[in-house]
Amino acid sequence: MSMPLQRGVSGGVRVSDSSDDLRDSQMKDKSEKEGHLTLRFPFAFLFTSNSNTQSTDPYNARTRHRLMLLFLKISLVLIVVLALAGSFWWTISISTTSRGHVYHNYRRLQEQLVSDLLDIGEISAGPTRWKELEYCSVDSENYVPCFNVSESLDRFCGPGGSRQECLVLPPVDYKVPLRWPTGKDVIWYHNVKITADEVLTSGSINKRMMMMDDDQISFRSASPMFDEVEDYSHQIAQMIGIKNDNFIEAGVRTILDIGCGYGSFGAHLLSKQLLTMCIANYEASGSQVQLTLERGLPAMIASFVSTQLPYPSLSFDMLHCSTCGIDWDQKDGLLLVEVDRVLKPGGYFVWTSPLTNARNKEDIKRWNFVHDFADSICWTLLSQQDKTVVWKKTVKTKCYSSRKPGVGPSVCSKGHEVESPYYRPLQMWLGGTRSRRWIPIEGRTRWPNRSNMNKTELSLYGLHPEEVGEDAANWKANVRDYWSLLSPLIFSDHPKRPGDEDPSPPYNMLRNVLDMNAQYGGLNAALLEAKKSVWVMNVAPTAGPNHLPMILDRGFVGVLHDWCEAFPTYPRTYDLVHADNLLSLQMSQRKSSCSLLQILTEVDRLLRPEGWVIIRDTVQLVEAARALTTQLKWEARVIEVESSSDQRLLICQKPFTKRQSI
């Protein structure tokens, strides 16, 4: 890859210092030109004049003027005719074999023209057009569009719930998160919005692991509370019948943790190669999602209120709810139907709640409803110990047809089956039963081989091994290139952390990665193979092909999302945001409801200070994005991918800008 050259202007006009020499030279040139002008230019009489005679004859002057205009008009017509004739002759002379090459060159010229026009537009518009965006108010430090617009827990992205047209600044005392894995157990208190009382009064096992220590919040692995989490996971393994706590051998890899506390259960399971996605409601303060993400663990805002989760049917191997605050007996079991939809065949639902060990009449009634409803949707109660219950989803679709008439919700008809709903209203029917992906978790390839699908597995998604193999090879090379670029050395004016000295190597402290157009999950797979200590939120844009089922089946995590809406997370969430051909995808929509600047402004909200952005796209879109980075106050460089490629890389870094304390 080569660095782009800065455009500039070279050359100039040299002026003689001697007026006498200049006069002599002019007289000599005039005499020579008069001697040869007629030979070189037969129409010279239109443009030359005799100062002794013609200058005093107004009639001759008007005649010359008319003749000159007539000559120019005739010349212009001839030029146009010749150009059209030449174009026509060139068009009919193109052979079939050369059309592809000509089209390619034409496209390159077209892209260069667009790029140049963008530069011209930027220069001509001046500072008024490319004015830097203003900073948001202090109240927006933890602003989450689509969620904190009303008292309701529902997501609302209509008028009044849209994103802000400003840049969100971090809190005054914000500090760059500690490097992984230290950052998993220690976070800076001022980086998140939580009060000391919320830390001290949090109730569940996962939350009680927090301890205040000056300006830090610690999740000490060596504390007695950690032993409780270890014992809890061991208890779940025993209830399922798993030996040596080896969840992987039982077919478990991905877990959806509903109301995850502050991620301690998922943090513990990382040592067992399990990937846990935390989801919880939007919370204005003491957010479970915000603290979990600050620890470098997967999380996003989502709720069981009125819409389906933005995941395909049959997504997770296990769903976990430990005092998660959801009343599963409400809405006639509708929320349990949604759990069943996203749970893979043979998957487990683990529920820990005082209700499972009820004593009073009302609680016993509620428990009996959940117990009976789970049985009606073909869940098997494996075990019940203390306050914890484990169910197993059926692996046989025949179970649904063998139920007594009127028992439990019906199976979703073929016409209503939607594999990846995007916040569709909750449905009272069982989904996924007709899917080709209905495969028991015990019958799937074990992790980590699960990430590299074989020919039979790829056929479920209409893909061929050659196609996916080539994609994987490309991403391996891309990751090597990316890692060499994620260094402040490509920026001569690397932003310093306010009040600190220059950061010491390694500079690229990455943990949370967002892939805005994940496609097959190739970036995620390449990062894992390169043994990078990261996790990736793989996004399948609603504007393009939906490969999210395949991504989740590979053992990764991801979500369906419309990038004309705000992403369901808090500000300062990700260390790296990657967009491969996302801009082309979004701009190809006939009725796109957002601009390129709005998408990039949302990316700025998601980025941590000193976070990186990598955009790979066509020349014209990369140049358009580069022009907008001035408004976002990003450092930006355009990198050429290959000399023959129609694409470019845009590498950006968000500066660490602090709000001035009052």
Side-chain angles (χ1 to χ4, degrees):
M1 295 184 180
S2 60
M3 298 294 293
L5 297 176
Q6 298 290 335
R7 288 191 175 93
V9 180
S10 61
V13 179
R14 188 170 65 181
V15 181
S16 174
D17 294 330
S18 174
S19 60
D20 294 336
D21 293 343
L22 180 60
R23 190 181 303 108
D24 294 341
S25 175
Q26 289 175 342
M27 294 297 292
K28 182 179 180 181
D29 291 342
K30 181 179 180 181
S31 62
E32 292 177 352
K33 290 178 180 177
E34 288 176 350
H36 300 284
L37 186 59
T38 305
L39 294 175
R40 288 182 296 161
F41 192 11
F43 298 96
F45 71 92
L46 294 173
F47 304 97
T48 59
S49 63
N50 189 325
S51 59
N52 296 327
T53 60
Q54 295 177 355
S55 60
T56 60
D57 189 347
Y59 176 78
N60 291 337
R62 286 196 297 271
T63 302
R64 283 201 313 275
H65 180 67
R66 291 171 182 170
L67 290 173
M68 183 174 64
L69 290 178
L70 179 61
F71 168 74
L72 291 176
K73 291 179 181 179
I74 294 173
S75 300
L76 183 60
V77 171
L78 287 174
I79 291 172
V80 172
V81 171
L82 291 173
L84 291 175
S87 176
F88 176 74
W89 178 258
W90 174 78
T91 301
I92 63 175
S93 64
I94 296 177
S95 64
T96 305
T97 57
S98 64
R99 285 178 183 172
H101 178 70
V102 171
Y103 172 77
H104 177 76
N105 290 335
Y106 169 75
R107 184 180 176 186
R108 292 291 300 274
L109 289 173
Q110 187 183 47
E111 290 172 347
Q112 185 61 47
L113 175 62
V114 173
S115 175
D116 292 340
L117 289 175
L118 286 169
D119 288 337
I120 294 171
E122 180 179 351
I123 294 171
S124 62
T128 56
R129 172 166 180 159
W130 303 113
K131 182 180 178 181
E132 292 183 348
L133 293 178
E134 296 181 355
Y135 292 115
C136 303
S137 64
V138 178
D139 297 336
S140 299
E141 286 180 353
N142 297 283
Y143 178 75
V144 182
C146 303
F147 283 94
N148 54 348
V149 294
S150 66
E151 296 298 325
S152 172
L153 296 176
D154 260 335
R155 174 180 176 275
F156 177 72
C157 284
S162 59
R163 68 195 79 187
Q164 291 181 322
E165 299 293 339
C166 56
L167 303 178
V168 179
L169 281 176
V172 173
D173 297 319
Y174 181 88
K175 295 183 180 180
V176 173
L178 300 172
R179 291 186 62 210
W180 182 268
T182 304
K184 175 170 63 71
D185 296 325
V186 181
I187 64 174
W188 299 110
Y189 172 72
H190 295 287
N191 284 14
V192 295
K193 188 176 181 181
I194 188 171
T195 65
D197 289 340
E198 287 172 328
V199 173
L200 298 174
T201 59
S202 52
S204 68
I205 292 177
N206 295 342
K207 293 182 179 180
R208 289 202 307 270
M209 289 184 63
M210 291 193 304
M211 291 179 287
M212 288 288 298
D213 183 15
D214 295 331
D215 60 345
Q216 295 179 340
I217 300 176
S218 301
F219 304 83
R220 300 297 184 186
S221 300
S223 69
M225 294 295 181
F226 184 82
D227 293 336
E228 290 187 43
V229 177
E230 172 70 30
D231 293 341
Y232 178 62
S233 66
H234 180 68
Q235 176 189 0
I236 294 173
Q238 285 186 324
M239 295 173 70
I240 294 176
I242 298 174
K243 298 180 180 179
N244 302 320
D245 293 0
N246 194 341
F247 287 88
I248 294 294
E249 284 301 316
V252 178
R253 157 64 180 173
T254 55
I255 300 172
L256 185 65
D257 195 359
I258 307 166
C260 60
Y262 298 129
S264 294
F265 183 60
H268 167 69
L269 294 178
L270 277 177
S271 62
K272 304 181 185 299
Q273 301 185 62
L274 302 181
L275 188 60
T276 304
M277 169 65 77
C278 161
I279 63 170
N281 294 329
Y282 164 78
E283 297 165 293
S285 181
S287 166
Q288 303 171 70
V289 170
Q290 188 179 40
L291 267 75
T292 300
L293 286 164
E294 190 67 21
R295 298 181 65 184
L297 302 169
M300 62 174 283
I301 301 173
S303 59
F304 283 84
V305 180
S306 61
T307 58
Q308 293 181 333
L309 298 172
Y311 309 122
S313 301
L314 318 178
S315 292
F316 297 94
D317 305 313
M318 177 186 291
L319 267 73
H320 174 255
C321 166
S322 176
T323 59
C324 60
I326 295 180
D327 297 325
W328 298 109
D329 60 308
Q330 299 300 309
K331 298 186 177 181
D332 299 323
L334 185 62
L335 304 180
L336 288 172
V337 172
E338 178 64 4
V339 170
D340 181 87
R341 185 186 69 82
V342 298
L343 195 60
K344 291 181 182 294
Y348 305 97
F349 178 54
V350 180
W351 183 31
T352 298
S353 170
L355 195 65
T356 63
N357 200 13
R359 293 291 185 267
N360 64 66
K361 184 177 181 181
E362 181 62 27
D363 287 345
I364 292 175
K365 179 181 178 181
R366 296 177 60 193
W367 158 247
N368 287 336
F369 175 86
V370 175
H371 177 276
D372 295 341
F373 192 86
D375 184 66
S376 73
I377 57 177
C378 295
W379 288 4
T380 301
L381 180 60
L382 295 182
S383 180
Q384 181 176 0
Q385 294 182 14
D386 300 326
K387 300 177 182 179
T388 301
V389 182
V390 177
W391 280 281
K392 182 181 177 70
K393 180 177 177 177
T394 185
V395 299
K396 299 179 180 179
T397 57
K398 292 182 179 180
C399 175
Y400 303 115
S401 59
S402 63
R403 295 174 300 174
K404 295 180 180 179
V407 175
S410 60
V411 173
C412 181
S413 61
K414 189 174 182 180
H416 291 84
E417 184 73 69
V418 179
E419 192 164 44
S420 293
Y422 188 64
Y423 297 104
R424 191 174 68 156
L426 290 169
Q427 309 289 330
M428 184 57 88
W429 51 57
L430 303 173
T433 59
R434 303 176 187 274
S435 173
R436 299 175 62 189
R437 297 170 49 241
W438 183 278
I439 302 173
I441 61 173
E442 295 92 342
R444 291 184 177 271
T445 305
R446 300 291 183 264
W447 179 264
N449 296 330
R450 184 172 176 178
S451 63
N452 298 314
M453 293 184 166
N454 57 40
K455 183 177 181 180
T456 303
E457 292 169 331
L458 290 175
S459 65
L460 298 176
Y461 317 96
L463 299 173
H464 300 284
E466 296 78 12
E467 179 182 2
V468 179
E470 182 180 355
D471 181 76
N474 290 336
W475 282 114
K476 290 177 185 178
N478 291 341
V479 165
R480 288 194 298 268
D481 293 338
Y482 289 170
W483 225 252
S484 65
L485 291 171
L486 297 185
S487 164
L489 295 179
I490 70 170
F491 298 129
S492 59
D493 49 353
H494 172 64
K496 296 181 180 180
R497 298 171 184 168
D500 294 345
E501 299 296 328
D502 287 333
S504 57
Y507 301 100
N508 46 313
M509 296 181 289
L510 303 184
R511 172 60 186 171
N512 300 355
V513 178
L514 174 68
D515 195 357
M516 299 177 72
N517 184 21
Q519 300 173 55
Y520 304 142
L523 175 64
N524 195 155
L527 288 170
L528 290 180
E529 187 167 334
K531 300 188 183 305
K532 305 300 182 183
S533 298
V534 302
W535 71 272
V536 180
M537 176 67 84
N538 297 280
V539 179
T542 57
N546 180 18
H547 298 297
L548 187 58
M550 173 186 175
I551 291 172
L552 294 170
D553 289 348
R554 295 183 71 176
F556 307 146
V557 292
V559 66
L560 195 68
H561 184 66
D562 179 359
W563 282 113
C564 282
E565 299 175 354
F567 196 71
T569 191
Y570 293 82
R572 304 174 301 280
T573 292
Y574 291 98
D575 305 298
L576 169 65
V577 175
H578 177 258
D580 177 44
N581 288 293
L582 174 76
L583 304 185
S584 295
L585 186 63
Q586 290 292 141
M587 297 302 109
S588 66
Q589 302 301 302
R590 292 184 177 180
K591 296 182 179 179
S592 180
S593 59
C594 59
S595 66
L596 181 56
L597 179 59
Q598 289 175 321
I599 295 175
L600 295 180
T601 304
E602 173 64 6
V603 170
D604 183 86
R605 186 184 73 88
L606 302 178
L607 270 180
R608 287 173 170 171
E610 297 187 3
W612 297 93
V613 181
I614 300 179
I615 298 175
R616 179 188 292 265
D617 223 300
T618 60
V619 173
Q620 63 267 37
L621 287 174
V622 164
E623 289 294 342
R626 178 189 61 80
L628 295 175
T629 58
T630 303
Q631 296 181 264
L632 300 167
K633 304 176 176 65
W634 292 353
E635 297 287 340
R637 295 291 185 272
V638 176
I639 310 294
E640 188 173 290
V641 180
E642 295 177 359
S643 58
S644 60
S645 175
D646 294 334
Q647 294 203 326
R648 296 290 185 271
L649 280 180
L650 180 63
I651 310 294
C652 308
Q653 187 176 35
K654 177 181 177 178
F656 190 165
T657 306
K658 280 190 174 182
R659 191 185 304 278
Q660 298 296 325
S661 58
I662 301 175

